[in-house]
Amino acid sequence: MLRAGRLGGACALRLLLAAHTVAAFEPISVGIAIGAASALTGYLSYTDLYCRFAECCREEQPLNASALKQELEEKLFGQHLATEVILKALTGFKNNKNPKKPLTLSLHGWAGTGKNFVSQIVAENLHRKGLKSNFVHLFVSTLHFPHEQQIKLYQDQLQSWIRGNVSACASSLFIFDEMDKLHPGVIDAIKPFLDYYEQIDGVSYRKAIFIFLSNAGGDLITKTALDFWRAGRKREDIQLKDLEPVLSVGVFNNKHSGLWHSGLIDRNLIDYFIPFLPLEYRHVKMCVRAEMKARGSAVDEDIVTSVADEMTFFPKDEKIYSDKGCKTVQSRLDFH
Ligand SMILES: Nc1ncnc2c1ncn2[C@@H]1O[C@H](COP(=O)(O)OP(=O)(O)O)[C@@H](O)[C@H]1O
Ligand SMILES: *[C@@H]1O[C@H](CO)[C@@H](O)[C@H](O)[C@H]1NC(C)=O
Ligand SMILES: *[C@@H]1O[C@H](CO)[C@@H](O)[C@H](O)[C@H]1NC(C)=O
């Protein structure tokens, strides 16, 4: 009992210091809260308790694959391919004790089809606080790296951020939105971190996860979906192999896409290319219903229909796919 107490003391000091650096909570109050809680429960480990109050980077915490599966199946509409690949990629990576490189996912598709939405779900399943976590980092090209003249600065900044953040938490998650608008020079700066190195200057990046989002290839993915529709085939029958040649033309061999310039693809640094299909009228309706539920109001089918009817659909004749996916659903709902 005495020994356990002393160990607890030493641990408390370390944890208080940790709390200070993480700055998630005021350290003294966390200490008191933990003290009180451990006196009450007595059997939970100190770290467990600490992590309940403040945020911890738990590298070894397993991914709850069934929870992620359930969440994707319930919340992500019309993206059977993305659901399948993301689930497979993440469970495979998290179950691997010794990954040879960080996990890199490249999400492609039309605007408003759920790329950011999925990234948020993934973030929440990896780190409890999701995008607000200290271990999840979102970069938006046009917001964080807008000026071409400052590439050098961005490169240095980004490298030191990634190094600093991965040193603090090996299982950090980095999300790069608008990858197709990112200057190739900036992509070059992250390239070394994605590679098969055991470590760089004493830091191993192998447990980190990088997610890249872009619209590149979205038009060709849409064309494939449309071909299926015109041939009277089901959307759910579209398979990855139907889209691989499409992505290879639209993304891999497209000299105008930032990804091509960067050599990320040449060097096989991207583990999975994940296509997002354009959303249909029925999916837009599902988004409206989900948004109504999220706001705590009852689902009113008249409003669902009128919001969905306000969206614009293409191609001109058939009007199958929503121009902006589900993107403007939330603001439109405000008017009803
Ligand atoms: N496939 C989808 N399933 C459910 N909701 C979606 C889907 N696509 C988009 N949404 C909704 O529309 C919003 C905007 O989508 P977003 O993920 O930002 O699109 P993008 O693909 O451009 O990143 C999301 O916050 C989400 O509420
Ligand atoms: C995983 O998630 C499922 C569904 O949300 C839940 O019932 C289960 O208890 C979770 N398992 C663990 C080990 O947390
Ligand atoms: C971690 O990344 C953020 C940007 O998301 C940056 O502001 C911060 O300085 C980085 N931390 C370290 C220790 O480099």
Side-chain angles (χ1 to χ4, degrees):
M1 194 55 219
L2 193 67
R3 248 180 78 210
R6 264 209 235 118
L7 270 179
C11 201
L13 188 63
R14 214 182 63 225
L15 288 166
L16 286 178
L17 290 173
H20 192 68
T21 47
V22 171
F25 275 93
E26 199 248 314
I28 309 281
S29 58
V30 172
I32 293 169
I34 293 174
S38 49
L40 283 175
T41 54
Y43 58 90
L44 276 172
S45 92
Y46 205 90
T47 324
D48 272 349
L49 274 172
Y50 174 79
C51 292
R52 237 172 248 193
F53 292 101
E55 194 188 17
C56 290
C57 162
R58 292 182 161 187
E59 291 154 35
E60 301 309 328
Q61 178 179 305
L63 173 76
N64 187 340
S66 57
L68 176 61
K69 181 165 191 278
Q70 194 185 344
E71 197 171 357
L72 287 174
E73 281 169 358
E74 270 171 23
K75 294 187 185 165
L76 182 67
F77 307 132
Q79 303 295 2
H80 66 286
L81 292 169
T83 300
E84 177 193 320
V85 182
I86 288 172
L87 204 55
K88 192 178 105 192
L90 280 174
T91 45
F93 183 73
K94 292 300 262 187
N95 286 336
N96 184 353
K97 287 270 174 289
N98 277 308
K100 292 281 174 284
K101 69 187 278 306
L103 177 67
T104 49
L105 309 176
S106 195
L107 278 46
H108 297 266
W110 206 261
T113 52
K115 300 183 295 297
N116 273 287
F117 185 60
V118 148
S119 308
Q120 187 189 329
I121 294 178
V122 168
E124 282 163 6
N125 278 271
L126 293 172
H127 298 285
R128 186 163 38 95
K129 291 177 156 185
L131 292 181
K132 293 201 194 79
S133 163
N134 289 318
F135 315 122
V136 174
H137 308 275
L138 171 68
F139 301 102
V140 183
S141 303
T142 47
L143 193 70
H144 293 98
F145 316 110
H147 305 298
E148 197 146 334
Q149 313 87 279
Q150 294 181 22
I151 298 299
K152 191 80 194 70
L153 171 71
Y154 300 148
Q155 288 177 329
D156 293 344
Q157 249 180 6
L158 196 52
Q159 290 196 332
S160 85
W161 285 349
I162 294 179
R163 191 182 310 121
N165 282 303
V166 174
S167 307
C169 178
S171 58
S172 289
L173 169 64
F174 299 92
I175 303 167
F176 290 83
D177 192 11
E178 303 184 342
M179 191 68 176
D180 35 357
K181 298 194 186 83
L182 193 56
H183 191 281
V186 181
I187 305 182
D188 275 333
I190 35 181
K191 215 158 45 172
F193 303 121
L194 308 182
D195 219 325
Y196 289 81
Y197 302 117
E198 197 152 352
Q199 43 176 257
I200 305 170
D201 298 331
V203 182
S204 168
Y205 296 87
R206 291 177 162 185
K207 296 234 160 132
I209 299 180
F210 291 82
I211 301 182
F212 303 117
L213 316 182
S214 79
N215 294 341
D219 44 352
L220 293 163
I221 294 171
T222 298
K223 190 179 168 300
T224 306
L226 197 54
D227 288 344
F228 264 73
W229 189 87
R230 285 180 175 152
R233 300 171 70 185
K234 267 172 54 190
R235 173 190 182 92
E236 289 73 23
D237 291 341
I238 302 176
Q239 293 177 12
L240 270 186
K241 67 172 166 47
D242 299 313
L243 288 165
E244 265 154 19
V246 167
L247 278 178
S248 82
V249 173
V251 184
F252 312 158
N253 297 323
N254 179 354
K255 300 191 181 178
H256 300 294
S257 93
L259 280 168
W260 186 87
H261 278 289
S262 67
L264 281 187
I265 292 159
D266 283 352
R267 308 233 328 104
N268 286 320
L269 296 183
I270 306 276
D271 299 308
Y272 296 91
F273 287 93
I274 304 175
F276 278 69
L277 303 174
L279 296 179
E280 299 173 8
Y281 183 75
R282 61 188 163 121
H283 301 122
V284 173
K285 278 182 144 182
M286 290 160 100
C287 287
V288 183
R289 288 190 200 108
E291 183 60 26
M292 286 175 136
K293 279 186 203 149
R295 292 182 185 190
S297 45
V299 173
D300 178 337
E301 284 300 325
D302 293 339
I303 295 179
V304 171
T305 308
S306 61
V307 172
D309 285 344
E310 279 174 21
M311 306 286 283
T312 47
F313 292 83
F314 69 97
K316 255 207 226 91
D317 306 326
E318 291 128 315
K319 298 202 189 310
I320 308 163
Y321 301 118
S322 167
D323 258 332
K324 299 194 177 66
C326 279
K327 205 154 221 165
T328 50
V329 162
Q330 298 179 359
S331 53
R332 275 165 208 269
L333 197 53
D334 296 336
F335 290 102
H336 288 272

